[in-house]
Amino acid sequence: MPAVWTDPAVDWDAFALVVVRSTWDYITRRDAFLAWAHGVPRLANSAAVLEWNIDKRYLAELAAAGLPVVPTTFVEPGGAPDAAALSGEVVVKPAVSAGSLDTGRHADPDAAAAHVTRLHEAGRTAMLQPYVAGVDEAGETALLYLGGRWSHAIRKGPMLVGERRTVDGLFLEEDIRPREPSAAELELGEHVMAVVAERFGSLLYARVDLLPGPGGEPLVVEVELTEPSLYLETNSGAPGRLAAAIAARV
């Protein structure tokens, strides 16, 4: 049965398993969300996974583990980005975010710095990444894993182009299609999943988002372990695989 994480009437102890799905409203109340997660006895993915994953500073850990990650600079409130982080075309977003909200693409260093300032004024850590131009033509590849195994993949159209509408104020409208991933993308996805599994064990669900680097090589832009869209409708076997993975956990 569906239930809302903020509903005080729900008895979370009564469920054999609680599966996190579309909790996209947590970004403005992270501490309350994590307190709820740690209070649920049987949660997938676990509260420890959620706590690590909802702050995108995990990207620095993945890079330190040797994975090819889109270069990322994190700037805490009170700090200022250096000139190198602002040079060229850059993407600025909060370290705790979902659905590409409060994310901007800037060619003007002053505009990028002003975006960082706005995030800091709201008490948020900012992150800066160079805009990966290959996404304009190739799009983004998302690899979906269910029960610890690769299930299917989708192509997501470039998000930071033109005017984009939000859906119920929760996420930007997306252009989604099925995709057959390359061997290099699948190999990188397996490496990412191995690093995560070494720390947290096998996960019920995961999404690894990749962008094409300057030479076409895949780069990790995000690893979604908290509340990702799994795009089950794009693959006829995906709903059954998720159901089987949930049943195995129960």
Side-chain angles (χ1 to χ4, degrees), residues 79-176:
D82 57 31
L86 294 170
S87 64
E89 197 166 18
V90 300
V91 174
V92 178
K93 54 185 162 182
V96 177
S97 65
S100 298
L101 296 180
D102 300 314
T103 297
R105 172 183 174 183
H106 305 285
D108 178 2
D110 291 337
H115 190 164
V116 171
T117 298
R118 290 194 300 274
L119 293 176
H120 285 176
E121 288 173 346
R124 307 172 81 179
T125 296
M127 53 187 286
L128 298 89
Q129 298 173 316
Y131 185 75
V132 180
V135 72
D136 290 341
E137 181 175 345
E140 181 177 321
T141 296
L143 304 176
L144 287 306
Y145 295 83
L146 303 175
R149 297 181 179 182
W150 178 70
S151 168
H152 58 291
I154 59 99
R155 176 196 184 274
K156 183 186 295 185
M159 300 291 289
L160 302 178
V161 291
E163 294 294 326
R164 302 303 300 270
R165 296 187 301 111
T166 64
V167 179
D168 296 330
L170 294 174
F171 55 92
L172 286 182
E173 189 177 49
E174 298 176 328
D175 173 20
I176 303 297

Side-chain angles (χ1 to χ4, degrees), residues 10-11 37 57 96 100 108 121 123 145 173 176 189 200 208 220 225-226 246:
V10 177
D11 179 8
R57 280 176 285 196
V96 177
S100 298
D108 178 2
E121 288 173 346
Y145 295 83
E173 189 177 49
I176 303 297
F200 297 109
V208 179
V220 177
L225 310 178
T226 302
I246 292 173

Side-chain angles (χ1 to χ4, degrees), residues 221-235:
V221 63
E222 287 189 19
V223 179
E224 301 279 8
L225 310 178
T226 302
E227 33 42 280
S229 295
L230 298 176
Y231 306 111
L232 301 177
E233 71 281 3
T234 66
N235 184 282

